[in-house]
Each structure stands twice: as C-alpha cells, then as structure tokens.
Amino acid sequence: MSELIVIKDLHASIQDKEILRGVNLTIRPGEVHAIMGPNGAGKSTLSAVLTGNPLYTVTQGEVWLKGKNLLEMTPEQRAREGVFLSFQYPVEIPGVSMVNFMRTAVNEKRKYEGKEPLSATEFLRLMREKKKMLEMADKLNNRSVNEGFSGGEKKKNEIFQMAMLEPCLSILDETDSGLDIDALRIVADGVNKLKTKDNASIVITHYQRLLDYIVPDFVHVLANGRIVKTGGKELALELEEKGYAEFE
Amino acid sequence: MLSLNKGEHKELVYINEPNLDLSISQAEDSVLRIVVIDYPHSTPSRHVLDSRHTIEIHHAGTNCQTEIYALAYVSNKDCVHTCTRVKHDIGGGTSKQIIKFVLDDQAQGSFQGELKILPDAQKVSAFQTNRNLLLSQQATMRTQPQLEIYADDVKASHGATTGQLDESALFYMQQRGIDPATGRKMLINAFMQDIIDQISDETLREQVRQQLE
C-alpha cells in the first residue's frame, strides 16, 4: 500500500482561534516522521485534531487514513482503525484498573475487526508478553489507570498500551517531556521494538534529544500552523543548533 | 433504639430500603458498620420515590468504632435524603463516614451530616466525607456538613465535593477505542466501587454490583 495517511490543507481552531493554517503531510507505512517547532506552533493541536478531540474544530481540509475519511469518524472509531496517541499528559482514572481498562480497549477493537473477544486468561498472557518485550515490570495490572504513577511510569504506560493495541499510526506527543535519560531510553526502545514495515509514527517533540533514540526518516518544522520546512534527520541537528528563530 | 453491647461487632446492610430510621447506642469497645445502598428502579406505575434516611449513632462507652457507608444512585425525579447524626459522648472512639450520591435526570439528593464531639470526648477521631457525581444538568444535590466540636484533643475532618464525569478521562478512553457510553459506565462504577466493597457478604456484594452495573 502506498499511503497510510494523507493530510491535505488542514485548518483547525480552538474557540475561534485558528491554530492550524493549512497542514499538508503524507505518511507511508514503515516511516517515522518527526514534527518539531516552537511552542504554540500547533504541534499538539495536530495530534488532537487527528484523534478527534472535541475541543478543536476542523474548519477546512481533509484527512484520509488508508483511504477512509478520518474526519468523519468518532474518536473511538479512529482508535479502532489504528490511530494511537501517546498523550503528553496521560489522564489518571481513579478506580478503573489497568487490567479492566486495557481488556475493554483490546476487546472493543477486536469486536470492530469482527474477532472474538479475548478470554481473561488469553488477555493476561498477552499483557505479560508485551511487558516482557518492553522490559517493563509486571506490577501495574491492579493499579488504577495512571493514578499515582510518576512521570516516567505514565509515559512507559502509554507505550505499553501502544504495544497492546498494535496501531498502524502512532502519534507520540512530547513523549520525552519530563523524562530522565533512563526512562527516555526505555520508552524509545519500546517504540523501536514496535516498529514494523506496516506501521508508522509521528513523533512530536520540541527537542532533538529524543531523535537520537528514535531516528526519523523525515523531520518537519511546524511554525504558525503550517509545515514550513521538511528534511532528513540532519534537520533536527540543525534546529538544535540554530533554534526556531528563523521560523517565528 | 438499638444498642450494641460491650465488645459487640455488628454489620447492618440495607439495600433499597426506603425511609430508614436508625438510632443506635454503642457500649464500650463495640464495632458497628452500616452500609446503605439505594438504587431505586423506575417503573411507569410507581410514584416518585422520596426516601429519607436518618441514622443516629451515639457513643456511650469508650473506644467505640463506627463506620457508615452510604451510596444512592438516583434517577428520574426520585429523591434520596440522608441524614447522619454521630455523637461522641465519651473519648477514645472513632467514626468514619463515606456518603456518595450519583444523580441522573432530575433526581435530587441531600446529605446532612451532624457530628458532635462533647467536652469529655477527648482522643476521638471523626472523619466524614461526601462525594457526589451529577450526570445531568437538571440533577441537584444539597450537602450540609455540621460539626460541633467541644473537646480540644480530637482529630476531625470533613469534606464535600460535587462534580461531573471527567471529560478528559472519557476522551482518553475513547482514544483507546472505548465508546463514550461504556466509558461513562466504567467511570460511574469506579466512583461507586469503594462503597459496594464494604458489604462483607460476597454473594450479596456481587448481586448489588451486578444490579448497579
């Protein structure tokens, strides 16, 4: 298949304030795209719009995921179609255990794909396998979703959920923010292990640091709601050196 | 008027019992746990439910323990009012109250929590919390904690919160493929869980859990 996602002239606003002003981006399976840019450029808005966050309104443009009109889908349909967002600020859900949460999510996706739900045993086995692959401790099962997790644990938990749901398009929104170097390495290793020739990632980051570990095929600069420059991984190094001044 | 003898342990569980009127006096070292759960089912023929619970506890001896857990999941135009009056006459006792309401449609809930610690009741710990979840714009909740503390060496706390379902949690769940109706149910169940868990009879506990879900 040639294109996984095609974003055409995407405009979006929040409370009548236009943030995205014509984003164009095409991603093919197997590719890693980094989106960098100054604060307030619209990086997180892009991830919010692609996942259907109700706080944002798309005012113009199109998004096609595997030939389907993404913007017509509910947020949960987009997720079941394989769009995954690793949240910049993962939400705490007191009283809902990780097992219950993940099992519901995995089985909703299976139902959507016309598959039988996993039994409790099969599900726990899958959870163990994924944790082992990501070298994560097996302790969060009975804890409430993200409740009381440290910053690093929350981000690792996002990657764990990504492993469980096997998305075709992962969006990592500032996954490196607030991580120390060890946590960063674990998270990046996880992302690299989950990479296949059929899936793709969008890595949103302010800093070049993460891209030492997750090597992008393309680097885009998002400024004032548009992609103003695209290059290879060397562009990230250049940005690190020169900053974003020329784009502001 | 019920009374607990010295050292007696008792658990009282009331499920969907309208208009409770309890008055209990505890002798020293007695342990009391009360669980009150209401989830009235609507039928077209039924009149609007208006249930008023009054729970009065009186610590007449030292080192009494009391726990009150109440949950009401109310919808339509039904009303549940819960009033607790806990009176510590003598020192060394503990009381703990967790009162929760989930209100949908045009339901009304109210909680009045009177807590009195008399001058001789030193070294008392008294804890009261009221948490309410409003599922509709038309639902109303009134809460009125009333603490009267006359002893100086006590630990007492109270708190009341009323809120709605966490929209950011719902979106997070949707982003993982969970539809909003299922997500909402999961959040409501999570809110009610700690009260249901207080029923020690496993069969009854699971029955209540299933009916509430």
Side-chain angles (χ1 to χ4, degrees):
Chain A
M1 196 165 65
S2 52
E3 287 139 0
L4 182 64
I5 189 163
V6 180
I7 302 171
K8 283 186 201 165
D9 192 30
L10 186 64
H11 291 245
S13 55
I14 183 165
Q15 291 167 346
D16 295 328
K17 188 172 178 246
E18 192 173 46
I19 310 282
L20 297 184
R21 304 157 191 259
V23 173
N24 290 287
L25 183 63
T26 297
I27 298 177
R28 290 171 192 82
E31 294 177 348
V32 175
H33 290 244
I35 294 184
M36 301 182 74
N39 288 325
K43 301 191 297 289
S44 288
T45 301
L46 182 62
S47 67
V49 168
L50 293 179
T51 51
N53 189 318
L55 297 175
Y56 296 84
T57 313
V58 173
T59 51
Q60 201 178 315
E62 299 168 16
V63 181
W64 299 90
L65 179 80
K66 296 180 282 186
K68 294 182 188 170
N69 188 345
L70 187 79
L71 299 179
E72 281 184 351
M73 298 179 197
T74 61
E76 64 273 19
Q77 279 171 331
R78 299 177 197 208
R80 294 169 193 165
E81 285 285 346
V83 176
F84 180 90
L85 172 62
S86 170
F87 283 68
Q88 184 176 2
Y89 303 108
V91 181
E92 299 195 6
I93 314 179
V96 176
S97 72
M98 268 309 292
V99 173
N100 185 15
F101 174 66
M102 244 15 272
R103 202 171 132 192
T104 309
V106 167
N107 282 335
E108 291 270 349
K109 188 175 184 200
R110 291 179 68 88
K111 192 163 83 188
Y112 185 75
E113 292 167 342
K115 294 178 188 163
E116 289 290 307
L118 292 181
S119 71
T121 324
E122 288 168 324
F123 176 77
L124 290 173
R125 191 185 304 133
L126 181 70
M127 252 179 123
R128 264 199 308 276
E129 273 170 25
K130 298 291 184 185
K131 278 195 188 136
K132 203 174 158 201
M133 182 182 79
L134 298 173
E135 290 161 44
M136 287 179 189
D138 200 26
K139 61 179 183 192
L140 43 87
N141 287 17
N142 295 312
R143 287 174 67 181
S144 293
V145 178
N146 294 321
E147 193 187 27
F149 287 26
S150 70
E153 282 175 322
K154 282 182 183 168
K155 296 299 171 83
K156 285 186 219 168
N157 192 26
E158 294 292 286
I159 304 306
F160 165 69
Q161 294 177 44
M162 178 175 148
M164 291 294 290
L165 294 165
E166 301 179 333
C168 63
L169 179 69
S170 314
I171 306 165
L172 307 175
D173 189 3
E174 308 261 0
T175 294
D176 48 339
S177 68
L179 289 191
D180 61 33
I181 203 74
D182 294 326
L184 183 69
R185 199 169 289 147
I186 292 171
V187 164
D189 282 351
V191 173
N192 290 330
K193 279 179 190 163
L194 297 172
K195 190 180 165 181
T196 69
K197 63 175 178 31
D198 300 314
N199 63 25
S201 312
I202 298 176
V203 181
I204 294 172
T205 181
H206 190 73
Y207 302 105
Q208 189 267 336
R209 190 177 72 150
L210 179 65
L211 306 178
D212 285 340
Y213 299 95
I214 303 172
V215 180
D217 300 298
F218 299 94
V219 174
H220 309 277
V221 180
L222 187 70
N224 288 315
R226 279 194 199 97
I227 290 177
V228 293
K229 192 168 184 178
T230 292
K233 59 179 188 242
E234 66 290 342
L235 177 57
L237 292 167
E238 199 183 302
L239 290 168
E240 185 78 356
E241 206 178 297
K242 293 188 190 160
Y244 296 108
E246 67 170 297
F247 304 108
E248 285 179 289
Chain B
M1 173 107 154
L2 227 98
S3 43
L4 261 65
N5 297 325
K6 184 180 171 185
E8 192 180 346
H9 287 232
K10 200 172 196 97
E11 179 180 288
L12 301 169
V13 179
Y14 302 93
I15 310 292
N16 289 325
E17 198 147 313
N19 302 314
L20 277 180
D21 192 3
L22 295 174
S23 176
I24 302 170
S25 171
Q26 292 186 238
E28 63 182 280
D29 299 324
S30 61
V31 179
L32 172 65
R33 176 210 293 253
I34 301 174
V35 184
V36 181
I37 299 180
D38 292 283
Y39 46 98
H41 294 292
S42 67
T43 55
S45 60
R46 205 199 65 207
H47 295 297
V48 169
L49 177 99
D50 189 349
S51 178
R52 288 174 188 274
H53 300 313
T54 307
I55 301 166
E56 252 183 52
I57 308 292
H58 179 200
H59 281 192
T62 55
N63 301 318
C64 294
Q65 291 175 39
T66 308
E67 292 175 8
I68 302 172
Y69 300 100
L71 167 69
Y73 189 158
V74 199
S75 45
N76 300 319
K77 289 182 175 176
D78 292 343
C79 313
V80 172
H81 308 278
T82 300
C83 171
T84 63
R85 295 194 188 107
V86 176
K87 197 164 137 206
H88 293 266
D89 289 43
I90 294 175
T94 63
S95 65
K96 178 181 174 187
Q97 305 178 52
I98 302 178
I99 315 291
K100 289 188 173 185
F101 283 81
V102 181
L103 301 169
D104 203 351
D105 307 322
Q106 298 173 60
Q108 291 180 32
S110 79
F111 170 61
Q112 189 185 353
E114 291 177 27
L115 180 67
K116 208 178 249 187
I117 305 178
L118 294 182
D120 288 340
Q122 300 293 354
K123 309 276 181 200
V124 158
S125 304
F127 168 83
Q128 181 195 86
T129 185
N130 170 223
R131 292 187 58 204
N132 312 303
L133 186 56
L134 301 182
L135 302 177
S136 123
Q137 297 280 351
Q138 283 84 44
T140 54
M141 179 70 206
R142 279 169 215 279
T143 176
Q144 196 184 357
Q146 246 176 289
L147 276 69
E148 286 180 51
I149 300 170
Y150 302 104
D152 46 26
D153 187 14
V154 299
K155 278 187 204 151
S157 71
H158 74 98
T161 58
T162 298
Q164 285 139 20
L165 286 177
D166 180 355
E167 290 294 329
S168 61
L170 280 172
F171 180 70
Y172 188 75
M173 294 169 109
Q174 272 181 289
Q175 213 304 302
R176 299 302 186 243
I178 301 170
D179 64 80
T182 307
R184 226 170 263 137
K185 255 189 216 161
M186 288 169 79
L187 292 179
I188 296 168
N189 291 342
F191 180 82
M192 302 190 297
Q193 192 165 279
D194 60 338
I195 304 290
I196 301 167
D197 286 344
Q198 300 302 331
I199 304 172
S200 43
D201 183 294
E202 201 186 325
T203 316
L204 180 62
R205 186 172 66 232
E206 290 316 309
Q207 189 190 329
V208 169
R209 200 190 304 279
Q210 277 174 20
Q211 285 174 357
L212 273 164
E213 278 177 9

